[in-house]
Amino acid sequence: MSTKKTLFDKVWDSHVVHQIENGPDVLFIDRHMVHEVTSPVAFLGLKNRGIRVMHPEKTFATADHNTPTINQHLPVEDPLSANQLKMLEENANEYGISYWGLGHEKNGIVHVVGPEYGITQPGATIVCGDSHTSTHGAFGAIAFGIGTSEVEMVLATQCIMQPKPKSMRINITGDLQYGVTPKDVALFIISQLTTSGATGYFVEYAGDVFKSMTMEGRMTVCNLSIEMGARGGMIAPDETTFHYVKGREFTPKGEAWDTAMNYWQTLYTDEGAEFDKELTFDGSQIEPMITYGTNPGMGMGISKDIPNAADVQGGASTYKKSLQYMKFGEGDSMIGKSIDFVFLGSCTNGRIEDFRAFASIVKGKQKADNVTAWLVPGSHQVEAAIKEEGILAILNDAGFELREPGCSACLAMNDDKVPPGKLAVSTSNRNFEGRQGPGSRTLLASPLVAAAAAVTGKVTDPRELMEKELA
Amino acid sequence: MAYDKFNILRTTAVPLPIENVDTDQIIPARFLKATERKGFGDNLFRDWRYNQDGTPKEDFVLNNPKYKGKILVGGANFGSGSSREHAAWAVYDCGFRCVISSFFADIFRGNCLNIGVLPVQVSAEFLQKIFAAIEADPNAEFEVSLEDQKVTILATGESEPFDINDYKKGNMTNGFDDIDYLLNIKENIQEFAKSTPL
Ligand code: SF4
């Protein structure tokens, strides 16, 4: 057997407590993030078994999924949401888990605050009862979403039982074009692989495009790994990573930092290590992307026309049902379609860089009258940066308001719901039927595309507005 | 929590020949606010099953009295999207003990196994045969044998084997869950924890 190991192998193998023949591995978990929606039944299970949380110090709780994004200082109106939030707080207190609830300065979307406070570290195994836990793979961690039974497992034993996934490497070479963001790279990959193309695999992203990407960008890409079915995605840590991680509240300090660095610097795929599958794309061919259907794989370059059912993989009837829901036709161009809502936010695109990008387009323009815009920072830290950098002033001048942090219209568990039939350009991660509210229609896109739509009131290629700016 | 033991299931099936059925369709987010594992079945496929005013949509399969049974048969890539175990709970709570598809999303498959719903992956051809058998006769019965790892269309006698690892098979057969297993090796885990760098 080859001794060459992939990045994934190195991290996975070093966390295997026990191997079951013809069964899963018992994997030790370094960090467990918990939120209000997928944890109550898990805590209830602990209670019923009469057991405690094994490692409360490796467990972190934040409230984000069903929280309101206005008036967070007031009691939560929806009694069911309020009850879930109360349960999380009680459970965190009962078991000695750090809890960053509504109003706490560290509150925010679980996948935004984890990295911000240094909970997310290279080489760690990280789980959370949320599929976009893959975000943390940006740091060279193995991070993936789990179900509630598994949340209970990790609370009780700090371990999870999973068969080792297959490995895939996706290389993107060359340079990205102007106006093409990490979100576009991810939507492009998913459009090529389809929503199930990486099921059963753990993905490593490699190549120049990722090397030159910021941590925020890498997080956006890894976040979307689940949308092609992958358990997760990761990028080897490098100077960009170490620089980001250093000095954060929960990152090692002093001697511990040096020890950690010694480990982290071994975290790369050995030359010659083999993957079960390897794909390479030319980054310079990627356009700003937009989706037109009801899964994230139904995406295309913004200047293209919606493909015909005959030309796509999978069943034509499912494809047609999807277009029917979206009220689009085969061969339609997306450019010029009138839109009703814009959502900037989520763990995919709710970081400071995303707000900078959005502001770069709307600066000096006005929000279109037909558009309702929800601008929701991923955390209080992002919110503070928006204010400090003067972005808030730009947004306000252009007729936009900033809301308070949370998942918001990404899954529309709170009041931020797109009404039936309305069309939203959203920087989040899922365009499933009704994801943003019953009957809502979602176009997934980058913050630049969202901004261009917000000021023009229709789907617009952001490069047009950017080029005018440059000229 | 431990769950019902699974051995042989002999039942009619409910067909849902749609691909990429995501967990937001299986149970929309606004129904995830409970703090106990109860009553999710009422909202299984909520927005496909009911109009916004709460009246049933006549043409949806779960509202058609012709179709019933303990097996749900779905199109390829069943259970994609959100990790919400509530989707598996809703399937279970509606009386299903087995989901058959030609392809499952990972997390949904794992969630099903963890709560005692058997995910059975068959070939695309066999899936079509199952759909055809139900279409020919909604009362057609199927047999899923966990012990033999085999699913059979009883009307025609055609069958196909399916995969499941020995560990999970043992769990399902005996109604054990992973926590029972992990608590048994707790000392190993504690020993391991001492050596982890992070
Ligand atoms: S923003 Fe959306 S995807 Fe991200 S954690 Fe919240 S609900 Fe999940």
Side-chain angles (χ1 to χ4, degrees), chain A residues 29-98:
Chain A
I29 300 302
D30 295 315
R31 299 284 183 275
H32 184 196
M33 310 283 297
V34 175
H35 65 84
E36 73 276 24
V37 175
T38 55
S39 68
V41 173
F43 281 111
L44 200 61
L46 283 193
K47 246 167 241 157
N48 291 340
R49 289 178 203 257
I51 46 180
R52 306 284 303 172
V53 174
M54 192 187 236
H55 284 286
E57 82 288 359
K58 295 182 189 292
T59 315
F60 300 84
T62 182
D64 56 1
H65 276 59
N66 69 22
T67 53
T69 55
I70 47 167
N71 294 327
Q72 290 187 349
H73 58 288
L74 299 177
V76 174
E77 274 176 27
D78 172 16
L80 293 175
S81 297
N83 186 44
Q84 274 190 334
L85 294 168
K86 190 175 113 229
M87 294 279 289
L88 182 61
E89 182 167 9
E90 283 174 9
N91 286 323
N93 289 340
E94 160 79 24
Y95 294 103
I97 297 166
S98 321

Side-chain angles (χ1 to χ4, degrees), chain A residues 172-185 188 209 212-213 282-289 301-304 446 448 461-464 466-467 470:
Chain A
I172 312 262
T173 57
D175 294 318
L176 296 180
Q177 286 176 40
Y178 188 59
V180 176
T181 71
K183 177 67 164 285
D184 301 304
V185 173
F188 169 81
V209 162
S212 55
M213 216 176 252
D282 176 356
S284 67
Q285 296 300 311
I286 303 174
E287 255 201 293
M289 298 285 294
I302 195 162
S303 67
K304 305 267 182 355
S446 74
L448 293 177
D461 189 331
R463 291 171 296 190
E464 277 175 29
M466 295 167 79
E467 272 151 19
L470 284 182

Side-chain angles (χ1 to χ4, degrees), chain A residues 98-223:
Chain A
S98 321
Y99 171 63
W100 302 343
L102 208 55
H104 191 287
E105 54 166 1
K106 291 178 188 154
N107 179 256
I109 303 174
V110 55
H111 311 309
V112 176
V113 297
E116 275 174 350
Y117 291 95
I119 295 166
T120 307
Q121 294 172 21
T125 46
I126 303 173
V127 294
C128 171
D130 181 283
S131 57
H132 294 96
T133 308
S134 56
T135 311
H136 309 264
F139 292 80
I142 289 184
F144 52 87
I146 58 177
T148 297
S149 295
E150 292 168 311
V151 172
E152 186 183 340
M153 246 175 256
V154 182
L155 290 172
T157 69
Q158 205 60 33
C159 285
I160 202 167
M161 302 182 77
Q162 293 255 338
K164 189 175 179 179
K166 289 179 279 185
S167 62
M168 180 188 297
R169 181 159 60 187
I170 298 178
N171 306 288
I172 312 262
T173 57
D175 294 318
L176 296 180
Q177 286 176 40
Y178 188 59
V180 176
T181 71
K183 177 67 164 285
D184 301 304
V185 173
L187 287 176
F188 169 81
I189 297 171
I190 303 163
S191 74
Q192 298 298 303
L193 272 89
T194 78
T195 49
S196 58
T199 303
Y201 291 88
F202 210 98
V203 173
E204 179 179 343
Y205 299 99
D208 294 343
V209 162
F210 302 110
K211 268 187 207 135
S212 55
M213 216 176 252
T214 62
M215 285 317 295
E216 282 83 357
R218 293 178 190 184
M219 283 189 252
T220 300
V221 172
C222 289
N223 174 281

Side-chain angles (χ1 to χ4, degrees), chain A residues 22 49 78 84 148-149, chain B residues 19 32-33 48 85 166 177:
Chain A
N22 200 357
R49 289 178 203 257
D78 172 16
Q84 274 190 334
T148 297
S149 295
Chain B
E19 290 160 29
L32 306 184
K33 295 187 181 181
W48 285 352
E85 194 168 300
D166 290 349
D177 69 14

